Amino acid sequence: MGKKVLITGGAGFIGSHLGDLFLSKGYQVKAYDNLDPQVHGENASRPAYLNKDIELIIGDVRNPEAFASALNSVDILVHLAAAVGVGQSMYEIVRYTSINTMGAATVLEEAVKQRDHIEKMLVASSMSIYGEGLYLCPDCGEISPRLRSTAQLAERNWDMLCPICGKPCTPIPTPETKPLYPTSIYAVNKRDHEEMFLSVGDAYNIPATAMRFFNVYGERQALSNPYTGVGAIFASRLLNGKPPVVFEDGGQSRDFIHVRDIARGCLLALENGNSNGEVFNLGTGRKLSIMDVGKAIAGELGRPADDFIVNNQYRAGDIRHCYADVSRAKTILGFKPSTVFEEGVSELCNWVKSQTSTDMVDKATEELKKRGLSR
Ligand code: UD1
């Protein structure tokens, strides 16, 4: 019998792919998930995509009794369950912090009680904890800037300016050593996740690792969730015959990593003792502008590549650029992403074509606007 893994959030997008990979490597997999309506739809039951060999336990991570019983006799704990939505986290502060921070606290207290059988813990962290990525100023060298000022953004001057000399700066790969400046409640919650797991793991001698996921895309993303990542949002808009809404000028960039590469990176970390107590970026090291991502998705879905609403507005807390320096994961874990964006996006769109989704983007944009969180 293979080792037993419990994945919180195991019925979700990333968790279900990780479950598939674990099963293929001979692990026994249990998923603990509350089937959140925003992700899974109202009154959802077991998702059709969830591998039939995964045991699904429906429960909330803040329920100690239910979680304790799910954790019984588990060797490996992977904590992915979280409320995910940067914009929404800024007006549902209590709900996010309750699910994310108190959820992690509950999970950890039970893990401590059952530590005699837990060999390893892995927690999903996020690139959001960096805030802006690392940049190079032509005069001042490497800089780790805070967010662009409100005054600068009010002028629709989108590019990052050096906080010391004011010159335009170029983004460079962001390593794990960059100072953390989380700019949303979600990001603060994710930093909590990371620090809570590493500190509790260290104190109780339960090996723990945190993975900083960059922008994850792929099949099974919740297309009707308007707070999910931009790839799914654009695909959902296009699927509904509407032009995607592009914030700023579309020149902002991110590092898009395919969900199967995320799963592989997590497994490598779990199986490698040198990951204990460490944090790792999981990205590709390639930056793509949001406009290029939109064009690629439109192209794959057979929609015009120039029909976008570039709204020249910005979301509070949005960063301009961040992409991963993946050398630590490469050196310590032997991690190398295997899906290039062009192939991954084609696969994503083939799947999207077989789906229906309700376009909730206008409603979500309105929620942000009425609270002054997009301007
Ligand atoms: C954020 C988090 C990330 C999290 C992800 C999932 C930060 C820095 N990162 O990423 O950790 O995993 O959310 O929710 O907080 N955009 C549009 N049109 C849209 C939607 C988005 O132009 O309809 C733009 C945004 O303004 C942004 C970029 O696309 O510039 C990426 O947005 P999004 O996919 O929400 O992810 P991040 O904010 O990068």
Side-chain angles (χ1 to χ4, degrees):
M1 272 296 192
K3 286 190 176 158
K4 285 189 192 153
V5 188
L6 179 68
I7 309 175
T8 69
F13 163 48
I14 299 176
S16 66
H17 282 277
L18 188 56
D20 288 344
L21 182 63
F22 275 128
L23 287 174
S24 75
K25 302 285 178 192
Y27 290 79
Q28 295 178 61
V29 185
K30 287 202 261 187
Y32 185 81
D33 202 299
N34 71 340
L35 302 182
D36 180 358
Q38 188 167 306
V39 176
H40 295 272
E42 290 299 330
N43 305 316
S45 52
R46 183 185 175 102
Y49 59 66
L50 192 66
N51 195 304
K52 63 173 178 25
D53 293 329
I54 295 177
E55 181 191 347
L56 173 63
I57 302 154
I58 297 174
D60 192 298
V61 279
R62 293 162 296 176
N63 179 337
E65 292 81 26
F67 182 71
S69 119
L71 193 61
N72 186 24
S73 79
V74 160
D75 304 298
I76 294 165
L77 168 62
V78 178
H79 186 51
L80 303 183
V84 182
V86 174
Q88 193 180 35
S89 78
M90 298 308 282
Y91 60 89
E92 294 191 10
I93 300 174
V94 172
R95 186 170 80 88
Y96 269 72
T97 304
S98 169
I99 296 170
N100 294 342
T101 305
M102 291 309 291
T106 310
V107 163
L108 281 169
E109 279 202 359
E110 293 310 320
V112 166
K113 285 183 202 155
Q114 299 192 31
R115 65 184 177 281
D116 56 326
H117 59 80
I118 298 175
E119 284 174 19
K120 176 110 181 176
M121 305 191 290
L122 182 141
V123 66
S125 180
S126 158
M127 54 76 83
S128 64
I129 70 177
Y130 290 120
E132 282 286 353
L134 193 64
Y135 289 79
L136 192 62
C137 167
D139 287 352
C140 309
E142 277 185 13
I143 53 160
S144 298
R146 301 295 184 118
L147 290 179
R148 295 161 291 176
S149 71
T150 311
Q152 177 191 334
L153 294 171
E155 289 170 5
R156 308 308 183 210
N157 182 0
W158 304 121
D159 279 324
M160 180 53 72
L161 304 175
C162 175
I164 305 162
C165 72
K167 288 209 171 120
C169 301
T170 323
I172 54 175
T174 299
E176 290 84 351
T177 48
K178 195 200 89 78
L180 306 178
Y181 300 135
T183 62
S184 66
I185 292 296
Y186 169 75
V188 171
N189 294 164
K190 278 288 161 180
R191 189 183 61 187
D192 280 354
H193 267 171
E194 180 172 316
E195 292 176 349
M196 289 166 80
F197 270 76
L198 294 182
S199 60
V200 171
D202 194 44
Y204 288 94
N205 230 342
I206 316 170
T209 303
M211 309 305 283
R212 294 179 180 165
F213 299 166
F214 278 65
N215 294 57
V216 190
Y217 72 97
E219 261 177 57
R220 307 177 190 165
Q221 247 175 311
L223 293 178
S224 300
N225 180 359
Y227 303 97
T228 187
V230 67
I233 291 174
F234 281 179
S236 172
R237 289 283 290 185
L238 289 159
L239 192 63
N240 284 286
K242 291 189 190 163
V245 178
V246 176
F247 288 101
E248 305 185 17
D249 59 354
Q252 65 272 39
S253 67
R254 299 290 188 274
D255 183 337
F256 289 86
I257 175 161
H258 193 271
V259 64
R260 277 195 307 267
D261 282 327
I262 288 283
R264 284 182 38 249
C266 290
L267 186 71
L268 285 170
L270 281 167
E271 291 186 336
N272 187 327
N274 292 330
S275 72
N276 297 348
E278 280 287 357
V279 301
F280 293 93
N281 282 343
L282 273 189
T284 66
R286 176 181 177 195
K287 71 177 170 56
L288 283 169
S289 77
I290 294 309
M291 189 55 99
D292 284 343
V293 169
K295 284 183 178 162
I297 295 172
E300 288 291 337
L301 292 176
R303 309 279 311 172
D306 53 0
D307 188 17
F308 295 99
I309 301 168
V310 182
N311 72 1
N312 218 29
Q313 303 207 343
Y314 67 95
R315 295 189 309 193
D318 254 357
I319 58 159
R320 182 67 175 168
H321 301 289
C322 186
Y323 68 109
D325 178 331
V326 286
S327 37
R328 184 183 288 181
K330 188 175 172 198
T331 314
I332 300 182
L333 307 177
F335 173 71
K336 193 171 168 285
S338 62
T339 303
V340 294
F341 184 74
E342 288 71 11
E343 286 166 17
V345 93
S346 162
E347 197 184 305
L348 169 74
C349 291
N350 279 334
W351 169 76
V352 163
K353 284 181 209 158
S354 70
Q355 303 293 303
T356 50
S357 88
T358 317
D359 175 30
M360 303 288 282
V361 169
D362 291 331
K363 186 167 170 285
T365 309
E366 201 43 49
E367 293 285 345
L368 291 183
K369 195 137 198 87
K370 82 176 181 219
R371 292 176 170 84
L373 294 171
S374 87
R375 298 184 266 260

